[in-house]
Amino acid sequence: MRPGPNRCQHPRIHPSRTLHRTWLAPVLGLALASSLASCGSDGSTAAATTFRWGYPSRATTLDPHKAGQFDLIFQMPVYDTLIKNDPESGAFVPGLATEWKLAPDGKTLDLTLRQGVKFQDGATFDAEAVRASLERGKRPEMNAASDLEAIDRIEVVDPSHVRLHLSRPGGHLLSVLTNEGGMIISPKALNDPDLAHKPVGAGPYKVTAYSTREVAYETWDGYWNRPSVTMPRVKMITMSDDSTRLRALESHQLDAAYLRPAQTPRLKSAGLNVLIKPRTLVYTVLLNTSRPGLKDGEVRKALSQAIDRDGIDKNLAKDGCQPTVQPFIEAYSPHVPGLEARPDAAYDPARAKESLAKAGYTDAKPLSFTITAPNITQYQVLAEALQAQFGKAGVKTELQVVDAAQVNPMMRSGKFDALVIPIDVGRPDPTTFVADHYLKNGPINPGKFHLPGLDELVDRARRESSPEGQQGPMRELFQKVFEAGPPVIPICAPDNVVGVQPGVTGISIPQMGTFAFHGVRIGKKG
Amino acid sequence: MVRTARRLATAVLVIWLVHLLTFLLIRLVPGDPAQQLAGERATAEEVALIRTALGLDDPLPVQYGRSLGALVRGDLGQSIFNGLPVVRMLADAAPATLSVALVALLFASLFGVGAGVVAGLRQGGWADRAVSTVATVGIALPSFWIGMVLVTFFALVNPWFPATGYAPLSEGGATWLRHLVLPGTTLGLAVAAEIARHTRGGVIDVLAKPYIRTARARGATGVRLVRGHVLRNAAIPVVTVLGLQTGKLLGGTVIVEAVFGISGLGSLAVNSALERDYPVLQGFVIFAAVVVVTANLLVDVAYGRINPKVNARVRSS
């Protein structure tokens, strides 16, 4: 026996061999990691023939008639639409329909269809296929039903002509037909239960893989406009986290990605190209005009004047959210020139306070209501800023944050006072935004806001088949609503920001509709 | 045999309870998949039609009976949004998550046990203090921050590993592992810290036992003493921690998958919760419950293997 009581008190072992074994695994691990790290690059070698796009939302479904808010971009490569938007001007240009004509009363829309077009499963594209697809889209259980509800009857005139009989003036249908509503599904696939992940259209790409992470596409050689397709393969990769998309772009794992305005400086410092453009998405406060106080137009105008839009743009959005007091910014035809310059459109909390006092709301008896925001950081922060700004005009507000999934039911049921939400005022078309929010029976007009003459103005706009034709009545309408106190108070239009690898060309932020990637080219630097 | 049957019966009971609670809880949360599906402009009638088509207006007991019957047949239903079978969606997402979790577990075991043993053997020394400090920091730091730091240094500044994404094994073992090093380390760091602390405590406890003194008196030193007498006896609390960490690893993948742009079970669960895709969310919870229950069964079995006295005690009782 060895003497050693001290060892038992203070166990000191000389474990030279033990330690060697203990450390062996980590050391081997590090060596393995080093060798893995030297295995090669991140796979960007495949980039020349595959365009990799990073996007925050995933494709919930590839069935255009069941599409959610952010699915359009995933469906567009597969499905050609009857009418398209020119990416630069937003003007209507031929798609699967080569010509269209809206009757003077706006109640009949004649479409001339492109001939010689096939679907990806070999079926023929003709008037019968258009009728079958539109009728499926109109079924009440389909998401597209509300967009297509103006269509009363679909008449097949001959194989290359379709006539849509409408229940009311339907100039807005032209825009609808550039979106999901105008995507024509192959008649052979209409009843396929797998359509949600095995789409069959007449577009430039076929889906080769669909998962919750990515949708992969490959060129379809039977496409009617095959020469316009320069990119053989496209991968749309879902990365919900903004920073993750940026890091993926910086490390050349993506060729382009949809990002946030606040990420612009980092994109530029990383040597990446940046595309920036505000579009028709607008951050707004939706007011419930059935609530005490908020039913008064002067109160709503005062609230609009109490909002420091420039401050929000500079401090919250880092100059990435174009301030606006009207739904459409200057680049779009319904924009009312000069409206922003009016004294009653300027930020003026003192004047707002005066207006509120005239309406009977003073410091002793303040206007008070609840501002609700979805549980998404940017809207919560916006709601906090509004609370502070309304406070300067003497308005007392409480904040309520709800799960984003609750927002739609809340809007419909009217269980809110003021809701901070983004609204795409141009989708599917400007008159739809108006009909939803400003007309008495609009589905998102819980307070039944109404102004005499608005229905007529919408009808006038819908008798026109071009944005230029719609411009007059739309401007008149927005001016009227502004003067009456808008139930939807616009705040600012956030920039769309796209980071692009040097050498990647053919990608742009479209004026209307969604991104298209078939014309992308990846040069040497990509 | 009876013991095994009892364990299995308990496992089945746990999974049934999880299924029942999940079914009830997700229906208690405000939000309606029919509303989500219908979009913001749908009329109340359109929403009602979708609800009927999904069977969501049936009484809850009818819906539950349908769900339980399908579960017994091994059918977890279909996604409300894309119609894909939930089993297929889980099977698609599981490899990424399980791979990250496996690498995290290996990392945590290697570094946690290694550091814990060194700290325990050198109690009070610099190695012990260093391990304790690093372990405390490792537990305290949020995994998303660790992930971003690792990506910055090992993917952006030094492009050694991919910053994002997952590569399946079919693309080659090395490619698979390269994509897992950073997320696995991120996920495994807190677990390694936890294991190191428990291993250290276990080693210190064991070193103070009389049988160690006896072993030393019989001439056991160094590797023989550590491997033959210390490690085995210190392993029980470590194995317990490993079992408990299984659930934490699955939960932790939600954040790690977001940071590394990996589309696994974590992101599937988050998306299905946001969209109120009941069948997918329920399928994920059942899957997680099965994994955790299996891990606990394995821990039970491991107790008996590590220390035969455990089996003997159970037999005598």
Side-chain angles (χ1 to χ4, degrees), chain A residues 1-62:
Chain A
M1 259 174 95
R2 290 183 190 179
N6 286 340
R7 284 188 185 181
C8 295
Q9 294 295 321
H10 303 284
R12 299 278 298 181
I13 295 172
H14 298 283
S16 55
R17 286 176 63 198
T18 310
L19 284 179
H20 282 153
R21 292 284 179 96
T22 310
W23 287 107
L24 189 60
V27 168
L28 279 175
L30 282 173
L32 177 63
S34 308
S35 64
L36 285 171
S38 61
C39 276
S41 67
D42 48 29
S44 58
T45 47
T49 55
T50 304
F51 173 72
R52 299 158 304 173
W53 165 251
Y55 199 60
S57 305
R58 70 185 182 112
T60 53
T61 175
L62 298 179

Side-chain angles (χ1 to χ4, degrees), chain A residues 58 143 147 213 253 412 436, chain B residues 35 37 41 164 258 261 275:
Chain A
R58 70 185 182 112
N143 274 5
D147 286 346
R213 172 176 156 75
Q253 288 185 291
R412 261 195 294 265
D436 284 351
Chain B
Q35 301 264 20
L37 258 178
R41 299 185 49 245
T164 62
E275 291 160 357

Side-chain angles (χ1 to χ4, degrees), chain A residues 1-2 7-9 11-19 21-23 25-27 29-30 32-43 58-62 66-69 140-143 145-147 149 193-194 196-198 210-214 237-241 243-248 250-251 253 266 375 403-406 408-409 411-412 422-423 427-428 432 436-437 443-444, chain B residues 29-32 35-44 46-47 49-50 53 79 81-85 88-89 92-93 110-111 113-115 117-118 120-123 125 147-148 151-152 155-156 159-166 173-175 177-179 181 207-208 213 216-219 221-227 230 257-264 267-268 271-277:
Chain A
M1 259 174 95
R2 290 183 190 179
R7 284 188 185 181
C8 295
Q9 294 295 321
R12 299 278 298 181
I13 295 172
H14 298 283
S16 55
R17 286 176 63 198
T18 310
L19 284 179
R21 292 284 179 96
T22 310
W23 287 107
V27 168
L30 282 173
L32 177 63
S34 308
S35 64
L36 285 171
S38 61
C39 276
S41 67
D42 48 29
R58 70 185 182 112
T60 53
T61 175
L62 298 179
K66 294 180 177 174
Q69 197 180 354
E141 72 273 21
M142 298 295 175
N143 274 5
S146 49
D147 286 346
E149 56 90 28
D194 292 335
H197 49 97
K198 289 181 183 168
Y210 168 80
S211 72
T212 50
R213 172 176 156 75
E214 67 179 40
I237 301 162
T238 301
M239 294 180 184
S240 56
D241 185 66
S243 309
T244 305
R245 287 196 304 285
L246 178 56
R247 289 194 295 272
E250 286 177 319
S251 63
Q253 288 185 291
R266 192 166 145 186
N375 57 347
D403 189 305
Q406 279 182 266
N408 279 353
M411 280 199 298
R412 261 195 294 265
I423 300 179
R427 191 165 177 229
T432 304
D436 284 351
H437 293 275
I444 317 174
Chain B
V29 177
D32 176 357
Q35 301 264 20
Q36 291 292 102
L37 258 178
E40 64 185 36
R41 299 185 49 245
T43 61
E46 286 164 353
V47 175
L49 267 170
I50 292 173
S79 161
F81 286 86
N82 56 28
L84 284 174
R88 188 189 139 182
M89 290 177 79
D92 284 348
L110 281 173
F111 282 85
V113 172
V117 169
V118 171
L121 295 177
R122 304 278 193 190
Q123 190 193 0
M148 286 197 286
V151 168
T152 303
L156 300 180
W160 297 341
F161 297 102
T164 62
Y166 165 74
T175 307
L177 204 48
R178 279 186 73 233
H179 282 81
V181 170
L207 284 175
R213 191 168 48 193
R216 280 207 181 99
R218 291 176 61 194
T221 54
V223 177
R224 226 181 94 209
L225 183 71
V226 171
R227 199 168 58 189
V230 178
E257 285 176 15
V259 171
F260 288 92
I262 295 171
S263 191
S267 51
L268 186 71
N271 283 325
S272 57
L274 292 176
E275 291 160 357
R276 303 293 188 267
D277 199 342

Side-chain angles (χ1 to χ4, degrees), chain B residues 19 63-78 87:
Chain B
H19 180 257
Q63 289 185 50
Y64 184 69
R66 209 163 41 219
S67 175
L68 187 62
L71 177 67
V72 170
R73 294 191 303 274
D75 175 10
L76 295 174
Q78 292 178 323
V87 172

Side-chain angles (χ1 to χ4, degrees), chain B:
Chain B
M1 188 67 189
V2 174
R3 214 172 115 233
T4 308
R6 199 182 299 157
R7 275 179 178 163
L8 284 174
T10 310
V12 170
L13 183 69
V14 168
I15 289 166
W16 172 71
L17 277 174
V18 167
H19 180 257
L20 177 65
L21 286 174
T22 315
F23 178 88
L24 293 173
L25 283 174
I26 58 182
R27 279 159 179 82
L28 282 176
V29 177
D32 176 357
Q35 301 264 20
Q36 291 292 102
L37 258 178
E40 64 185 36
R41 299 185 49 245
T43 61
E45 291 72 29
E46 286 164 353
V47 175
L49 267 170
I50 292 173
R51 197 174 284 124
T52 305
L54 295 175
L56 294 172
D57 55 357
D58 289 336
L60 272 188
V62 173
Q63 289 185 50
Y64 184 69
R66 209 163 41 219
S67 175
L68 187 62
L71 177 67
V72 170
R73 294 191 303 274
D75 175 10
L76 295 174
Q78 292 178 323
S79 161
I80 287 172
F81 286 86
N82 56 28
L84 284 174
V86 173
V87 172
R88 188 189 139 182
M89 290 177 79
L90 291 174
D92 284 348
T97 302
L98 295 181
S99 300
V100 174
L102 179 72
V103 170
L105 207 58
L106 284 174
F107 171 86
S109 305
L110 281 173
F111 282 85
V113 172
V117 169
V118 171
L121 295 177
R122 304 278 193 190
Q123 190 193 0
W126 67 266
D128 181 22
R129 284 198 296 273
V131 168
S132 298
T133 306
V134 171
T136 306
V137 172
I139 290 170
L141 287 178
S143 58
F144 74 87
W145 186 83
I146 295 170
M148 286 197 286
V149 169
L150 289 178
V151 168
T152 303
F153 283 103
F154 299 110
L156 300 180
V157 177
N158 304 295
W160 297 341
F161 297 102
T164 62
Y166 165 74
L169 252 178
S170 57
E171 290 184 19
T175 307
W176 173 76
L177 204 48
R178 279 186 73 233
H179 282 81
L180 293 173
V181 170
L182 297 185
T185 308
T186 304
L187 186 60
L189 205 61
V191 181
E194 198 80 45
I195 290 174
R197 281 162 62 136
H198 281 84
T199 306
R200 174 187 175 274
V203 168
I204 289 170
D205 272 358
V206 170
L207 284 175
K209 299 279 185 198
Y211 57 77
I212 294 292
R213 191 168 48 193
T214 308
R216 280 207 181 99
R218 291 176 61 194
T221 54
V223 177
R224 226 181 94 209
L225 183 71
V226 171
R227 199 168 58 189
H229 300 280
V230 178
L231 279 185
R232 205 178 175 95
N233 289 302
I236 293 265
V238 177
V239 169
T240 308
V241 172
L242 269 175
L244 291 173
Q245 295 294 325
T246 312
K248 196 174 170 181
L249 280 174
L250 270 180
T253 56
V254 172
I255 291 166
V256 171
E257 285 176 15
V259 171
F260 288 92
I262 295 171
S263 191
L265 291 169
S267 51
L268 186 71
V270 170
N271 283 325
S272 57
L274 292 176
E275 291 160 357
R276 303 293 188 267
D277 199 342
Y278 292 164
V280 180
L281 186 56
Q282 200 156 319
F284 167 77
V285 177
I286 297 289
F287 178 83
V290 169
V291 170
V292 171
V293 166
T294 307
N296 284 322
L297 279 174
L298 289 174
V299 166
D300 273 0
V301 173
Y303 284 161
R305 303 275 300 184
I306 293 166
N307 186 353
K309 280 190 285 185
V310 173
N311 281 343
R313 269 202 299 271
V314 172
R315 272 196 295 273
S316 65
S317 67

Side-chain angles (χ1 to χ4, degrees), chain A residues 117-182:
Chain A
V117 174
K118 293 276 183 194
F119 288 101
Q120 291 159 357
D121 58 1
T124 302
F125 169 79
D126 58 12
E128 200 52 54
V130 172
R131 188 195 57 76
S133 187
L134 290 178
E135 281 189 346
R136 179 181 185 270
K138 273 178 59 61
R139 284 185 355 213
E141 72 273 21
M142 298 295 175
N143 274 5
S146 49
D147 286 346
L148 298 170
E149 56 90 28
I151 301 176
D152 213 20
R153 187 164 60 86
I154 303 155
E155 181 189 350
V156 174
V157 180
D158 62 48
S160 58
H161 290 89
V162 172
R163 181 167 296 149
L164 306 182
H165 296 272
L166 311 176
S167 55
R168 50 191 167 76
H172 65 295
L173 266 180
L174 296 170
S175 285
V176 168
L177 298 181
T178 67
N179 284 292
E180 295 95 331

